[in-house]
Amino acid sequence: MSSIGVSKRLLKTVLRLIEEMTILLTKDLPARFADVIGAGHVLSDEAARDAYAHDRLPFANFVARDGDRVGTLPGLVVRPASAEEVVDIVRLAAEADQPVIPYGSGSGVLGGTIPLKGEVMIDMQRMDRIVDLNLDDNLVTVEAGMNGGAFEEALNTKGYTCGHRPQSLEISTVGGWAACRGGGQESSRFGKIEDIVVGLKAVLPDGRLLEVRPLPKRATGPSILDLIVGSEGALAIITELTMRIWKLPEAEERLVLALPDRSAALGLAKRIMQAGLHPRIVRLYDEKETAGRTKGIAEFGDRPVMANIVLCGETDVARAEAALVRRFAKDVDAVETDTRPFDEWLKNRYVSITKQWLDKGYYNDTIEVTVNWSQTTSLYDSIAEQIAELHPEAHFSAHWSHVYPEGVCQYMTFRLPPMDKDAALPIHARIWQIAQSETLSHGGSIAHHHGSGLFRGAWMDEEHGVGMDVLRQVKAAIDPQNLFNQGKLGLPARPGSVDPHRDRSADV
Ligand SMILES: Cc1cc2nc3c(=O)[nH]c(=O)nc-3n(C[C@H](O)[C@H](O)[C@H](O)COP(=O)(O)OP(=O)(O)OC[C@H]3O[C@@H](n4cnc5c(N)ncnc54)[C@H](O)[C@@H]3O)c2cc1C
């Protein structure tokens, strides 16, 4: 984009921000919020608002290198300390017709917390207590703003785990996990967050407090729990979650395997899951990702695909499952190697390398999709082929680290070398289009665990079909003023907002 274009956009943004702040002040909202939560927890200075204006959406980071932003600054940031304070804030906002966005830690990668018209950010991080640990029912109740790492550590200290360990464990909140329908590195055993959460409390856009009592199962109509888990702040603000917990396993068996090709590795994972085993970790890497992790290990010379598999539980069970996996592995000509690559991964399991690429000027992004086993190889090949045609140095690689009896999450990394933004962004947009539309045409889902946020809105109609009409109607019924996280999840934005579904290749 030319410097005139940038200045025009900046000017427009500044004018919009002045307008938004003026509206907020006219409504006297800062003072009214301060009456509820204390003036110290109402942040209105520009630096504070700027810190809440973005999450980890890679596209936003690309344009931020030129000082540009995808959305607007928030009008205000409020930091409640209890569900009652959230209720009061929501009631005041509804009265003033002021849109809000619940904010966990801003670790989302789809722009889910990006304001589109000076929304008020409701930062949940002061709500950070474990409310109850029930070792009879194996349940933990926790406030939604608790940091994931602190939460898991507190459970580990007592000899338990909730089994949800996203790579972003240390930079995300438990409420954000549920809001995005996230998946952790041990999902093959413990399930995704929707399998772990059994109850919750949440504030609706009219200020009522919704409670789903924590129970193993019920048959009382459609699941209200499932309506809220994955609603990305657009239907409710989650204030409390009750989750399953498990005793830390007595024993663990680790296998690192070298396999002749991708289809052998995928076939092995499929057999393990369809045999009803419960591996704690299954990580399969394509040739490129294997090569980066196995330098100097001879077995990978003629077997270029790696599988890391961890079995756990009572000692006898872990051993028996490991013995079965070793037998299955032999059938696909896999050989076991030393565990160095897995040990290295374990040491760095919460470390992200995205920033390193960003700082060097690269355009690095990841896209995770779900696909059934029967379609996996074809999906991988068709995306790989099309990416290779886009640019001679375009990087594409994938791993599979969430496996199920029916299929798998394909986690893909795409990277463009340092180049002019005007050239890179249309290719980046094309990469997203290829990955999402190929997934859909292979019968898959456009997202496995990162959610939809802002960036995936364009594909939500194709993902859900008539179901998207249902979602729009549910949103309109629960939130007729469109107050909660407007314009996300492919849902409509309020008039005058930044267009959440615009063609981003035109942002140059
Ligand atoms: C390096 C890195 C690795 C990652 N790895 C994983 C991974 O392995 N697995 C995975 O699932 N995700 C992963 N993510 C994505 C992200 O961390 C998750 O989506 C996480 O669950 C977001 O939590 P958060 O608290 O930061 O939420 P935020 O980013 O603050 O918010 C995300 C969305 O949830 C909504 N929200 C937040 N809190 C609430 C609440 N209390 N009530 C209602 N809505 C709310 C927001 O409005 C927004 O729409 C990764 C991200 C990064 C940067």
Side-chain angles (χ1 to χ4, degrees):
M1 193 201 300
S2 69
S3 58
I4 297 173
V6 172
S7 321
K8 265 193 192 156
R9 176 107 54 91
L10 281 178
L11 184 65
K12 256 183 89 195
T13 308
V14 170
L15 290 175
R16 184 165 43 226
L17 290 174
I18 293 170
E19 185 194 310
E20 283 306 321
M21 271 315 281
T22 315
I23 293 168
L24 278 169
L25 292 171
T26 317
K27 292 170 183 166
D28 199 24
L29 269 178
R32 299 176 81 189
F33 287 145
D35 286 345
V36 174
I37 54 175
H41 298 297
V42 179
L43 315 179
S44 57
D45 62 288
E46 194 178 326
R49 289 187 293 134
D50 187 52
Y52 287 83
H54 52 83
D55 59 3
R56 308 271 187 128
L57 173 71
F59 178 86
N61 285 327
F62 304 155
V63 300
R65 287 195 283 228
D66 288 351
D68 208 353
R69 68 169 89 247
V70 171
T72 70
L73 279 184
L76 212 58
V77 180
V78 294
R79 305 177 67 238
S82 66
E84 293 70 31
E85 289 186 1
V86 176
V87 165
D88 287 345
I89 286 166
V90 167
R91 290 215 162 115
L92 288 172
E95 222 176 276
D97 196 33
Q98 171 60 48
V100 301
I101 300 178
Y103 181 95
S105 289
S107 72
V109 286
L110 272 306
T113 56
I114 292 181
L116 302 175
K117 198 187 174 203
E119 288 91 321
V120 166
M121 308 300 286
I122 304 184
D123 178 347
M124 302 296 288
Q125 290 173 98
R126 284 177 71 213
M127 297 179 59
D128 63 354
R129 285 176 318 125
I130 290 185
V131 178
D132 186 43
L133 186 60
N134 177 339
L135 299 184
D136 197 11
D137 299 331
N138 268 16
L139 292 175
V140 63
T141 300
V142 56
E143 289 184 316
M146 186 165 189
N147 171 272
F151 170 64
E152 181 60 22
E153 197 184 322
L155 290 177
N156 293 172
T157 310
K158 302 270 183 196
Y160 286 81
T161 176
C162 103
H164 189 77
R165 291 173 179 271
Q167 190 198 9
S168 56
L169 182 80
E170 291 162 343
I171 55 167
S172 58
T173 63
V174 297
W177 298 348
C180 292
R181 240 178 142 81
Q185 295 161 344
E186 300 177 358
S187 65
S188 304
R189 181 179 185 85
F190 300 106
K192 284 180 73 226
I193 199 70
E194 64 265 30
D195 307 307
I196 297 172
V197 172
V198 292
L200 56 73
K201 290 184 183 163
V203 179
L204 296 176
D206 63 6
R208 279 181 302 161
L209 192 62
L210 169 80
E211 180 177 5
V212 179
R213 285 172 291 112
L215 289 163
K217 295 281 168 201
R218 36 165 67 88
T220 49
S223 164
I224 304 298
L225 186 72
D226 273 324
L227 189 63
I228 305 304
V229 173
S231 63
E232 301 191 22
L235 299 179
I237 301 177
I238 301 164
T239 56
E240 193 176 286
L241 291 164
T242 300
M243 293 191 252
R244 291 191 166 133
I245 52 169
W246 303 85
K247 267 213 164 111
L248 286 170
E250 184 181 273
E252 196 173 87
E253 294 266 339
R254 299 174 179 178
L255 281 76
V256 173
L257 301 167
L259 293 114
D261 52 38
R262 265 180 281 125
S263 74
L266 291 163
L268 175 64
K270 172 172 135 177
R271 188 166 176 199
I272 289 170
M273 296 314 284
Q274 291 185 349
L277 306 192
H278 292 97
R280 184 177 196 168
I281 291 172
V282 174
R283 297 185 71 82
L284 319 174
Y285 300 91
D286 73 357
E287 295 82 345
K288 272 190 207 155
E289 298 199 13
T290 298
R293 291 169 183 273
T294 57
K295 281 192 185 79
I297 304 181
E299 286 86 344
F300 291 96
D302 56 354
R303 287 183 176 78
V305 170
M306 176 166 68
N308 292 345
I309 300 170
V310 177
L311 295 312
C312 74
E314 301 287 324
T315 306
D316 290 349
V317 176
R319 278 192 192 146
E321 289 206 356
L324 261 179
V325 172
R326 286 192 170 99
R327 210 181 78 201
F328 295 167
K330 271 206 183 112
D331 290 346
V332 287
D333 194 26
V335 295
E336 201 167 342
T337 79
D338 70 68
T339 61
R340 263 177 298 154
F342 179 75
D343 300 339
E344 197 55 31
W345 172 81
L346 202 58
K347 216 165 59 192
N348 298 306
R349 69 191 294 186
Y350 307 126
V351 177
S352 162
I353 52 159
T354 305
K355 192 167 178 312
Q356 291 171 24
W357 291 112
L358 195 68
D359 291 348
K360 287 185 205 151
Y362 284 79
Y363 297 81
N364 191 77
D365 207 341
T366 59
I367 303 178
E368 30 57 72
V369 300
T370 314
V371 67
N372 287 342
W373 290 117
S374 52
Q375 299 293 314
T376 314
T377 302
S378 160
L379 177 65
Y380 179 97
D381 289 343
S382 63
I383 295 177
E385 271 166 32
Q386 291 180 61
I387 299 303
E389 282 167 15
L390 286 181
H391 189 277
E393 288 175 66
H395 167 95
F396 166 71
S397 64
H399 64 261
W400 299 267
S401 50
H402 308 268
V403 298
Y404 308 94
E406 314 76 18
V408 66
C409 163
Q410 178 159 294
Y411 189 103
M412 300 170 279
T413 299
F414 302 90
R415 192 158 49 246
L416 294 171
M419 64 169 99
D420 192 86
K421 195 178 73 172
D422 293 7
L425 292 187
I427 305 178
H428 177 255
R430 185 78 196 115
I431 287 173
W432 267 88
Q433 182 57 34
I434 290 168
Q436 299 284 251
S437 60
E438 279 300 319
T439 299
L440 287 164
S441 67
H442 282 79
S445 170
I446 57 169
H448 175 267
H449 58 262
H450 285 164
S452 165
L454 185 63
F455 215 65
R456 277 187 163 129
W459 293 278
M460 285 291 276
D461 266 291
E462 224 182 313
E463 165 79 22
H464 290 295
V466 174
M468 196 60 202
D469 286 339
V470 175
L471 186 57
R472 276 189 276 267
Q473 284 160 1
V474 168
K475 167 75 173 173
I478 294 181
D479 187 9
Q481 289 170 268
N482 200 1
L483 289 176
F484 277 19
N485 214 0
Q486 55 128 356
K488 309 295 168 51
L489 275 179
L491 293 166
R494 290 164 65 102
S497 301
V498 172
D499 175 9
H501 311 305
R502 72 180 186 280
D503 175 4
R504 289 175 200 287
S505 59
D507 285 13
V508 291

